Amino acid sequence: MSHVADVQLQIKDLDALKTAVEALGATFVQGQKSFKWYGRFMNDWSSQRAASNRHDAKDFGKCEHAITVDGVKYEIGVVKTDDGYSLLYDSWGPGAGLEKKFGVGMPKLKQSYSTEVSRRELKRKGYRVTTINNADGSVKLKAVR
């Protein structure tokens, strides 16, 4: 079965994505043109998260870059879109390892990327930025001029 999910996060800064991925203990593979998944679209999933809602299934498995997690067979594809990049992955079978690492729908990856983009923008504007990781999993950025 294939359950290719769309992370539903618009990526505009690949360097921030790479930093976010590495901060979570995964690997960003620059220039990898395919990502590992079930390998065949089965059209057997109609969730709001289904990539087939926004992407052509004939392109599943194709990407510009990939994200890998040690010990997990499937990968996350960093897919070029008209307005940046999108993240796609197969959540079925071995893909459960990706969701174990990043959460269902990739909330940990979304948070890490958003935090990194914000941190970079604040630094660009001249702030000194401190990242505070709260016990509940939330992140707070403290910016001081």
Side-chain angles (χ1 to χ4, degrees):
M1 291 190 167
S2 67
H3 288 75
V4 179
D6 183 344
V7 175
Q8 298 178 3
L9 173 67
Q10 185 180 52
I11 305 293
K12 296 234 180 213
D13 185 337
L14 286 176
D15 288 331
L17 178 62
K18 180 179 179 182
T19 299
V21 165
E22 292 172 353
L24 293 170
T27 303
F28 183 88
V29 185
Q30 185 98 20
Q32 182 174 317
K33 298 300 182 187
S34 63
F35 65 96
K36 294 177 186 151
W37 66 297
Y38 182 71
R40 191 174 64 169
F41 179 60
M42 304 297 290
N43 199 20
D44 59 352
W45 193 43
S46 61
S47 167
Q48 285 184 311
R49 295 187 313 118
S52 58
N53 294 333
R54 294 188 335 141
H55 299 271
D56 191 336
K58 73 175 176 50
D59 293 328
F60 288 175
K62 299 175 186 175
C63 61
E64 298 297 314
H65 314 286
I67 297 167
T68 64
V69 174
D70 285 344
V72 179
K73 181 180 173 184
Y74 286 0
E75 300 169 328
I76 300 169
V78 181
V79 177
K80 184 77 173 125
T81 63
D82 291 339
D83 51 0
Y85 295 87
S86 184
L87 304 177
L88 303 182
Y89 70 100
D90 192 338
S91 64
W92 187 260
L98 297 170
E99 291 188 336
K100 182 177 182 185
K101 177 77 171 173
F102 300 119
V104 175
M106 306 286 135
K108 292 177 185 174
L109 184 52
K110 288 177 178 181
Q111 179 186 51
S112 186
Y113 173 73
S114 299
T115 299
E116 184 59 24
V117 168
S118 298
R119 190 186 68 73
R120 286 169 182 244
E121 182 63 16
L122 287 165
K123 286 182 93 171
R124 188 185 69 74
K125 291 182 177 181
Y127 290 91
R128 285 180 295 131
V129 182
T130 305
T131 303
I132 302 162
N133 296 305
N134 297 315
D136 66 358
S138 63
V139 175
K140 182 177 183 178
L141 295 178
K142 182 178 179 182
V144 179
R145 279 205 192 244

